[in-house]
Amino acid sequence: MRQGKRGKPFTWFGVFMIALLVASVATAAAPTITGQALDKIVIERTTKAEIISMFGPPQKTEVIGGEEVMYYQTSKQDPVTKTNLCNVLTITIAKTGKVKNVVFQRYCQVP
């Protein structure tokens, strides 16, 4: 093992890699939902793979009537009311594998 000038092993690299891994997991758990990304979704053209490339894997999925419903949610605390506010993006994927419906609910309250 390489030693630093003071005789301590180089452990900063390991610490950095762990921090990077934790940051990437946190990012995957809370997608960024922007107007620019929403504008790129075209009903009956955008595919499920394109949605996943834009927002990452959904936090929850359901199959309803043979169609897949993908859910994405972000949340933060309102500094005034101290309640949790969230953005919820719900995308229905038709049996064709393309987007059938998009619903974006901004700043809903979470109990």
Side-chain angles (χ1 to χ4, degrees):
M1 183 182 297
R2 288 182 45 156
Q3 298 285 318
K5 290 182 181 181
R6 298 183 185 172
K8 294 182 181 178
F10 282 106
T11 57
W12 288 109
F13 180 74
V15 171
F16 174 75
M17 292 306 291
I18 290 171
L20 191 61
L21 178 63
V22 169
S24 69
V25 169
T27 302
T32 302
I33 303 170
T34 65
Q36 288 178 332
L38 292 173
D39 289 343
K40 293 179 182 178
I41 301 173
V42 179
I43 303 296
E44 298 181 4
R45 284 196 192 158
T46 305
T47 65
K48 176 182 174 181
E50 291 171 321
I51 294 297
I52 292 172
S53 73
M54 284 186 246
F55 302 107
Q59 293 157 315
K60 179 182 171 187
T61 60
E62 293 181 308
V63 176
I64 301 173
E67 297 175 331
E68 185 174 7
V69 182
M70 303 165 62
Y71 299 94
Y72 295 91
Q73 179 177 324
T74 62
S75 65
K76 66 178 181 178
Q77 189 176 57
D78 184 320
V80 176
T81 64
K82 304 296 184 200
T83 59
N84 288 329
L85 300 175
C86 68
N87 294 327
V88 178
L89 175 61
T90 306
I91 300 173
T92 304
I93 305 294
K95 294 177 184 178
T96 62
K98 297 185 178 177
V99 173
K100 178 179 179 180
N101 190 31
V102 177
V103 176
F104 181 63
Q105 187 177 10
R106 187 174 184 95
Y107 299 126
C108 55
Q109 285 194 344
V110 179

